[in-house]
Amino acid sequence: MAFENLSERLQKALKNLTGKGKISEADINDASREIRLALLEADVNFKVVKDFIKKIKKEALGKEVQDSLNPGQQIIKIVDDELTKMMGEEAVSLNKSPHIPTIIMMVGLQGTGKTTTVGKLANYLMKNEKARPLLIAGDIYRPAAIEQLKQIGQQLDVPVYSEDNQDVAEIVKHGLEEADKNKNDYVLIDTAGRLEIDEQLMDELKRVTEVAHPDNTLLVVDAMTGQAATQVAEGFNNDLDLTGIVLTKLDGDTRGGAALSIRAVTGLPIIFTGQGEKLTDLSTFHPDRMASRILG
Ligand code: GDP
């Protein structure tokens, strides 16, 4: 299960503080050390960890906590609040275009779950907003990806625009014309990925952006990649003005590094999470709920 080890270690570190009438500086230092190690072991970015520990210590040593009836509980609340802040505080929604269609472009490295997430998001929008989306197959280098998207389209009974053309920007342009004709309220664009970021991929994605002017450019990130995900996000963000992150594979035994580092390092909000291969396995991301889940 995701975050299992991190959860256990944080709970253990905090347990020593509960039930004590008075908490000494040494107690706080001990707990901070444990929390620090737990976060580093979960592959959270070291600078994020350092800032986090500094804040926790400062607040825990403050008069308000020290004078309270149950300082241990207060410290747990501080950790909870700071974990929430680390992941972005408030839930963030998709940007909506003032006129239809709202355009969502999905980008990311190969195998992170882009094509699957296009399907999940279409399903989510249909369920929650009675949306009538059109999907555009822009991952032209992998015939299997086009086929996969077509199958998803059949499953959901939504149109998938594809074309035998080597120019993705042109495909997207034609797909958008189709959406205009059909009055689709959402257009979801699947794009190609690579094993790592390269110039050719970025050039292609930039050209698609120039044609599509997406309201949302979502980077799909595999939670299992840990904090390395932050470098990928920064790489994509340099060229593409990302608007948010979809963190996939949270059903795996990820340690937590990506979920806990990506917002703090890049400033980009996690908007959705994926927790399975089915089209229904998509959730909106709530930093406070995630923090509570981690703290148990
Ligand atoms: P793409 O190359 O980025 O388009 O990735 P795909 O959408 O083809 O997904 C790659 C693999 O990851 C597929 O086997 C998906 O079923 C799987 N996958 C995608 N999202 C999730 C998820 O949230 N959890 C799990 N367990 N598998 C996922």
Side-chain angles (χ1 to χ4, degrees):
M1 204 189 81
F3 314 127
E4 195 165 20
N5 201 27
L6 175 64
S7 277
E8 264 173 33
R9 290 194 61 171
L10 288 180
Q11 284 166 25
K12 201 163 142 239
L14 293 169
K15 208 166 130 214
N16 294 333
L17 298 177
T18 50
K20 285 194 181 183
K22 203 97 194 109
I23 289 180
S24 69
E25 190 165 348
D27 291 331
I28 291 170
N29 284 338
D30 283 349
S32 299
R33 193 175 316 117
E34 286 303 313
I35 293 170
R36 184 174 160 272
L37 289 174
L39 290 170
L40 288 175
E41 201 172 285
D43 198 25
V44 181
N45 173 280
F46 82 94
K47 187 161 180 310
V48 174
V49 176
K50 202 172 150 200
D51 290 348
F52 180 78
I53 295 297
K54 214 163 106 185
K55 282 191 208 147
I56 300 288
K57 270 194 181 173
K58 184 164 173 258
E59 286 193 53
L61 287 167
K63 191 167 159 25
E64 212 175 291
V65 172
Q66 293 299 314
D67 289 350
S68 70
L69 278 178
N70 194 337
Q73 282 304 331
Q74 294 287 332
I75 294 173
I76 291 172
K77 185 167 181 317
I78 290 169
V79 174
D80 195 338
D81 288 349
E82 289 298 332
L83 267 184
T84 304
K85 277 189 210 161
M86 196 193 274
M87 291 184 282
E89 219 147 0
E90 298 285 323
V92 174
S93 316
L94 289 173
N95 297 321
K96 271 287 193 63
S97 166
H99 45 79
I100 65 164
T102 290
I103 299 171
I104 304 171
M105 174 162 141
M106 213 64 79
V107 301
L109 296 181
Q110 195 174 308
T112 50
K114 281 182 302 302
T115 308
T116 313
T117 302
V118 166
K120 287 178 177 177
L121 194 50
N123 180 55
Y124 171 89
L125 293 167
M126 288 163 80
K127 284 243 163 69
N128 290 281
E129 300 183 21
K130 296 196 168 35
R132 292 178 51 250
L134 175 128
L135 317 182
I136 300 179
D139 184 356
I140 52 168
Y141 309 107
R142 266 197 330 132
I146 300 176
E147 202 39 52
Q148 191 185 339
L149 198 66
K150 282 184 181 165
Q151 279 176 15
I152 288 172
Q154 267 173 9
Q155 241 173 296
L156 295 175
D157 198 19
V158 299
V160 176
Y161 187 85
S162 70
E163 211 179 283
D164 192 9
N165 187 338
Q166 286 305 300
D167 185 344
V168 187
E170 209 165 85
I171 297 177
V172 169
K173 185 166 167 266
H174 297 157
L176 288 169
E177 285 165 5
E178 180 82 9
D180 271 343
K181 242 190 281 164
N182 297 342
K183 303 212 169 18
N184 294 104
D185 47 5
Y186 279 94
V187 172
L188 281 69
I189 306 171
D190 191 20
T191 64
R194 299 268 204 285
L195 290 177
E196 48 190 48
I197 295 177
D198 67 45
E199 212 173 307
Q200 201 194 352
L201 171 69
M202 283 304 163
D203 282 347
E204 178 176 303
L205 295 176
K206 274 195 271 187
R207 283 197 303 116
V208 172
T209 304
E210 280 158 20
V211 170
H213 302 293
D215 305 287
N216 303 271
T217 305
L218 302 180
L219 177 72
V220 180
V221 165
D222 178 342
M224 303 294 282
T225 46
Q227 63 159 311
T230 61
Q231 281 135 32
V232 174
E234 281 179 330
F236 273 89
N237 203 23
N238 278 341
D239 284 327
L240 292 178
D241 288 335
L242 299 176
T243 56
I245 305 284
V246 181
L247 196 60
T248 59
K249 311 194 188 181
L250 272 184
D251 49 318
D253 59 353
T254 166
R255 287 178 292 164
L260 289 165
S261 306
I262 207 155
R263 171 71 191 235
V265 173
T266 66
L268 293 164
I270 301 172
I271 302 186
F272 294 101
T273 59
Q275 54 277 322
E277 297 189 89
K278 293 198 299 293
L279 291 177
T280 46
D281 292 330
L282 184 83
S283 306
T284 48
F285 182 72
H286 299 269
D288 54 344
R289 290 185 208 162
M290 186 58 89
S292 303
R293 184 174 137 191
I294 290 171
L295 289 178

